[in-house]
Amino acid sequence: MSLSGKTAVVTGAGRGIGLAYCRRLAADGANVVALDVNDPAEALAALTGPGEKVGQVCDLARPEQIEAAAAAVLERFGRCDILVNNAAIFPTTDLETVTLQVWRRVQAVNVEAMLLLAQAFVPGMKAAGWGRIVNTGSANTLLQTRDLAYVTSKGTVHALTRALANELGESGITVNAIAPSVVATEGFAGRSRAAGSSAQDVLARVSSMQTIKRASVPDDLGDALGFLVSDAAGFITGQVLHVDGGLTRTGA
């Protein structure tokens, strides 16, 4: 499933799931533009594949930086064929303690950036008659997770995915979401330490509730992405694909 000649933009691409997405897209032949709040250049150096690998620092909470990053992509490549909205922040919040400032930053990064990037890149996809948008959602929307701002944002991501699919289907553009559960990444390990818990214990507990009894790794998501952006998935749109080892198999 070659992506030769296609240009992909991935947010939150410096490590973890985002880097796995970049790795898969690059291996399949796409030009890859990695956006991250930290410089992703070092991570991109390890990617293989014939396409270009470009890293750019971008704080998705700042619309002017999104606009500048999108303009740079269009100037260099002419259009974005594949938009992968992966970046997210997840401060622990509840109703009693969440501030409006924190709430708005979570929505800005996790949701509003998707809207702004779609507005920037969809015109080129429409002109080409082909495009793929894949958003990273979350299995937490179907679980009893108490993290108010994050879970709300991911529920909105799922709704935005379906709304965009409704709007763009006749333009040759598919819009889907990949919803992981807990994934063994550096970021998850760091958050676990900060919360005073063991990442391995959490992964083991989640794995025990899955049909497939092992921890999820970033390449599980990368493999799903490789399918969704290919021509083989051209009749799939508006879907939230739960890649979680069967954790949410009873969810609606």
Side-chain angles (χ1 to χ4, degrees), residues 156-203:
T156 306
V157 167
H158 295 178
L160 177 62
T161 296
R162 296 180 175 115
L164 285 176
N166 292 342
E167 184 172 337
L168 301 177
E170 294 182 1
S171 301
I173 303 167
T174 66
V175 188
N176 294 288
I178 295 173
S181 60
V182 177
V183 184
T185 64
E186 308 97 307
F188 170 70
R191 293 193 301 279
S192 297
R193 285 193 299 270
S197 59
S198 163
Q200 292 305 313
D201 288 348
V202 175
L203 289 167

Coordinates of all heavy atoms in Angstrom, one line a residue, residues 156-203:
T156 N -15.5 14.9 22.2 CA -15.7 15.8 21.1 C -14.9 15.4 19.8 O -15.4 15.6 18.7 CB -15.2 17.2 21.6 OG1 -15.9 17.5 22.8 CG2 -15.5 18.3 20.5
V157 N -13.7 14.9 20.0 CA -12.9 14.4 18.9 C -13.7 13.3 18.1 O -13.8 13.4 16.9 CB -11.6 13.8 19.3 CG1 -10.9 13.0 18.2 CG2 -10.7 14.9 19.8
H158 N -14.4 12.4 18.8 CA -15.2 11.4 18.1 C -16.3 12.0 17.3 O -16.6 11.7 16.2 CB -15.7 10.4 19.1 CG -14.6 9.6 19.8 ND1 -14.9 8.6 20.8 CD2 -13.3 9.6 19.7 CE1 -13.8 8.1 21.2 NE2 -12.8 8.7 20.5
A159 N -17.0 13.0 18.0 CA -18.1 13.7 17.3 C -17.6 14.5 16.1 O -18.3 14.5 15.0 CB -18.8 14.6 18.3
L160 N -16.5 15.2 16.3 CA -15.9 16.0 15.2 C -15.6 15.1 14.0 O -15.8 15.4 12.8 CB -14.7 16.7 15.6 CG -13.9 17.5 14.6 CD1 -14.8 18.6 14.0 CD2 -12.7 18.1 15.2
T161 N -15.0 13.9 14.3 CA -14.7 12.9 13.3 C -15.9 12.6 12.4 O -15.9 12.6 11.2 CB -14.1 11.7 13.9 OG1 -12.9 12.0 14.6 CG2 -13.9 10.6 12.9
R162 N -17.0 12.3 13.1 CA -18.2 11.9 12.3 C -18.8 13.1 11.6 O -19.3 13.0 10.4 CB -19.2 11.4 13.3 CG -18.8 10.1 14.0 CD -19.8 9.5 14.9 NE -19.4 8.2 15.5 CZ -19.1 8.0 16.8 NH1 -19.2 9.0 17.6 NH2 -18.7 6.8 17.1
A163 N -18.7 14.3 12.2 CA -19.3 15.5 11.5 C -18.5 15.8 10.2 O -19.1 16.1 9.2 CB -19.3 16.7 12.5
L164 N -17.2 15.7 10.3 CA -16.3 16.0 9.2 C -16.5 14.9 8.1 O -16.5 15.2 6.9 CB -14.9 16.1 9.6 CG -14.4 17.3 10.3 CD1 -12.9 17.2 10.7 CD2 -14.6 18.6 9.4
A165 N -16.7 13.7 8.5 CA -16.9 12.6 7.5 C -18.2 12.9 6.8 O -18.3 12.7 5.6 CB -17.0 11.3 8.3
N166 N -19.3 13.4 7.5 CA -20.5 13.7 6.8 C -20.3 14.8 5.8 O -20.9 14.7 4.7 CB -21.6 14.2 7.9 CG -22.0 13.1 8.8 OD1 -21.8 11.9 8.6 ND2 -22.6 13.5 10.0
E167 N -19.5 15.8 6.1 CA -19.4 16.9 5.2 C -18.5 16.6 4.1 O -18.7 17.2 3.0 CB -18.8 18.1 6.1 CG -18.7 19.4 5.3 CD -18.3 20.5 6.2 OE1 -18.5 20.5 7.4 OE2 -17.7 21.5 5.6
L168 N -17.5 15.8 4.2 CA -16.4 15.7 3.2 C -16.5 14.4 2.4 O -15.7 14.2 1.5 CB -15.0 15.7 3.9 CG -14.8 17.0 4.7 CD1 -13.4 16.9 5.4 CD2 -14.8 18.2 3.8
G169 N -17.4 13.5 2.6 CA -17.5 12.2 1.9 C -17.6 12.4 0.4 O -17.0 11.5 -0.3
E170 N -18.3 13.4 -0.1 CA -18.5 13.5 -1.5 C -17.3 14.1 -2.2 O -17.2 14.2 -3.4 CB -19.7 14.3 -1.8 CG -21.0 13.6 -1.4 CD -22.3 14.4 -1.7 OE1 -22.1 15.5 -2.3 OE2 -23.4 13.9 -1.4
S171 N -16.3 14.5 -1.4 CA -15.0 15.1 -2.0 C -13.9 14.1 -2.1 O -12.8 14.5 -2.4 CB -14.6 16.3 -1.1 OG -15.6 17.2 -1.0
G172 N -14.1 12.8 -1.8 CA -13.0 11.9 -1.9 C -12.2 11.8 -0.6 O -11.1 11.3 -0.6
I173 N -12.7 12.4 0.5 CA -11.9 12.5 1.7 C -12.6 11.6 2.8 O -13.8 11.8 3.0 CB -11.9 14.0 2.2 CG1 -11.2 14.9 1.1 CG2 -11.1 14.1 3.5 CD1 -11.4 16.4 1.4
T174 N -11.8 10.8 3.4 CA -12.4 10.0 4.5 C -11.8 10.6 5.8 O -10.7 11.1 5.9 CB -12.0 8.5 4.4 OG1 -10.5 8.3 4.5 CG2 -12.4 7.9 3.1
V175 N -12.7 10.4 6.8 CA -12.3 10.9 8.2 C -12.6 9.9 9.2 O -13.8 9.5 9.3 CB -13.1 12.2 8.5 CG1 -12.5 12.9 9.8 CG2 -13.0 13.2 7.4
N176 N -11.6 9.4 9.9 CA -11.8 8.4 10.9 C -11.0 8.7 12.1 O -10.2 9.6 12.1 CB -11.4 7.0 10.3 CG -12.3 6.5 9.2 OD1 -13.5 6.2 9.4 ND2 -11.8 6.5 8.0
A177 N -11.3 7.9 13.2 CA -10.5 8.1 14.4 C -10.0 6.7 14.9 O -10.7 5.7 14.7 CB -11.3 8.8 15.5
I178 N -8.8 6.7 15.5 CA -8.3 5.6 16.2 C -8.4 5.8 17.7 O -7.9 6.8 18.2 CB -6.8 5.3 15.8 CG1 -6.8 5.0 14.3 CG2 -6.2 4.2 16.6 CD1 -5.3 4.9 13.7
A179 N -9.0 4.9 18.4 CA -9.2 5.1 19.8 C -8.4 4.0 20.6 O -8.8 2.9 20.7 CB -10.7 5.0 20.2
P180 N -7.2 4.4 21.1 CA -6.4 3.5 21.9 C -6.9 3.5 23.4 O -7.7 4.4 23.8 CB -5.0 4.0 21.8 CG -5.2 5.5 21.6 CD -6.5 5.7 20.9
S181 N -6.4 2.6 24.2 CA -6.6 2.7 25.6 C -5.2 3.1 26.2 O -4.7 4.1 25.8 CB -7.1 1.4 26.2 OG -6.1 0.3 26.0
V182 N -4.7 2.4 27.2 CA -3.4 2.7 27.8 C -2.4 2.1 26.9 O -2.4 0.9 26.5 CB -3.3 2.2 29.2 CG1 -1.9 2.5 29.8 CG2 -4.4 2.8 30.1
V183 N -1.4 2.9 26.5 CA -0.3 2.5 25.6 C 1.0 2.7 26.2 O 1.2 3.7 26.9 CB -0.4 3.3 24.2 CG1 0.7 2.8 23.3 CG2 -1.8 3.3 23.6
A184 N 1.9 1.7 26.1 CA 3.2 1.7 26.7 C 4.1 2.7 26.0 O 4.8 2.4 25.0 CB 3.8 0.3 26.7
T185 N 4.1 4.0 26.4 CA 4.9 5.0 25.9 C 5.7 5.7 27.0 O 5.4 5.6 28.2 CB 4.0 6.1 25.2 OG1 3.2 6.7 26.1 CG2 3.1 5.5 24.1
E186 N 6.7 6.5 26.5 CA 7.4 7.3 27.5 C 6.5 8.3 28.3 O 6.7 8.5 29.5 CB 8.6 8.1 26.8 CG 9.4 7.3 25.9 CD 9.0 7.4 24.4 OE1 7.8 7.1 24.1 OE2 9.8 7.7 23.6
G187 N 5.6 8.9 27.5 CA 4.7 9.8 28.2 C 3.8 9.2 29.2 O 3.7 9.8 30.3
F188 N 3.3 8.0 29.0 CA 2.5 7.3 30.0 C 3.3 6.9 31.2 O 2.9 7.1 32.3 CB 1.9 6.1 29.4 CG 1.2 5.2 30.4 CD1 0.0 5.6 31.0 CD2 1.7 4.0 30.7 CE1 -0.6 4.8 32.0 CE2 1.1 3.2 31.7 CZ 0.0 3.6 32.3
A189 N 4.6 6.5 31.0 CA 5.4 6.1 32.1 C 5.7 7.3 33.0 O 5.7 7.3 34.2 CB 6.7 5.5 31.6
G190 N 5.9 8.5 32.3 CA 6.2 9.7 33.1 C 5.0 10.2 33.9 O 5.1 10.6 35.1
R191 N 3.8 10.1 33.3 CA 2.6 10.5 34.0 C 2.3 9.5 35.2 O 1.8 10.0 36.2 CB 1.4 10.5 33.1 CG 1.4 11.6 32.0 CD 0.1 11.7 31.3 NE -0.4 10.5 30.7 CZ 0.0 10.1 29.5 NH1 0.9 10.8 28.8 NH2 -0.4 9.0 29.0
S192 N 2.6 8.2 35.0 CA 2.4 7.3 36.1 C 3.3 7.6 37.3 O 2.9 7.6 38.4 CB 2.7 5.9 35.6 OG 1.8 5.5 34.5
R193 N 4.6 7.9 37.0 CA 5.5 8.2 38.1 C 5.0 9.5 38.8 O 5.1 9.5 40.0 CB 6.9 8.5 37.5 CG 7.6 7.2 37.1 CD 9.1 7.4 36.8 NE 9.3 8.4 35.8 CZ 9.4 8.1 34.5 NH1 9.4 6.8 34.1 NH2 9.6 9.0 33.6
A194 N 4.6 10.5 38.0 CA 4.1 11.7 38.7 C 2.9 11.5 39.6 O 2.7 12.2 40.6 CB 3.8 12.7 37.6
A195 N 2.1 10.5 39.2 CA 0.9 10.2 40.0 C 1.2 9.2 41.1 O 0.3 8.8 41.9 CB -0.2 9.6 39.1
G196 N 2.5 8.8 41.2 CA 2.9 7.9 42.3 C 2.5 6.4 42.1 O 2.4 5.7 43.0
S197 N 2.3 6.0 40.8 CA 1.9 4.7 40.5 C 2.9 4.1 39.5 O 3.8 4.8 39.0 CB 0.5 4.6 39.9 OG 0.4 5.4 38.7
S198 N 2.9 2.8 39.4 CA 3.8 2.0 38.5 C 3.1 1.9 37.1 O 2.0 1.3 37.0 CB 4.1 0.7 39.1 OG 4.7 -0.2 38.1
A199 N 3.8 2.3 36.1 CA 3.3 2.1 34.7 C 3.1 0.6 34.4 O 2.0 0.2 33.8 CB 4.2 2.7 33.7
Q200 N 4.0 -0.2 34.9 CA 3.9 -1.6 34.6 C 2.6 -2.2 35.3 O 1.9 -3.1 34.7 CB 5.1 -2.4 35.0 CG 6.3 -2.1 34.2 CD 6.1 -2.3 32.7 OE1 5.6 -3.4 32.3 NE2 6.5 -1.4 31.9
D201 N 2.4 -1.8 36.5 CA 1.2 -2.3 37.2 C -0.1 -1.9 36.5 O -1.0 -2.6 36.4 CB 1.1 -1.7 38.7 CG 2.2 -2.4 39.5 OD1 2.8 -3.4 39.1 OD2 2.4 -1.8 40.6
V202 N -0.2 -0.6 36.0 CA -1.3 -0.1 35.3 C -1.5 -0.9 34.0 O -2.6 -1.4 33.7 CB -1.2 1.4 35.0 CG1 -2.4 1.8 34.2 CG2 -1.2 2.2 36.3
L203 N -0.4 -1.1 33.3 CA -0.5 -1.8 32.0 C -1.0 -3.3 32.3 O -1.8 -3.8 31.5 CB 0.9 -1.8 31.3 CG 1.3 -0.5 30.7 CD1 2.8 -0.5 30.3 CD2 0.4 -0.1 29.5

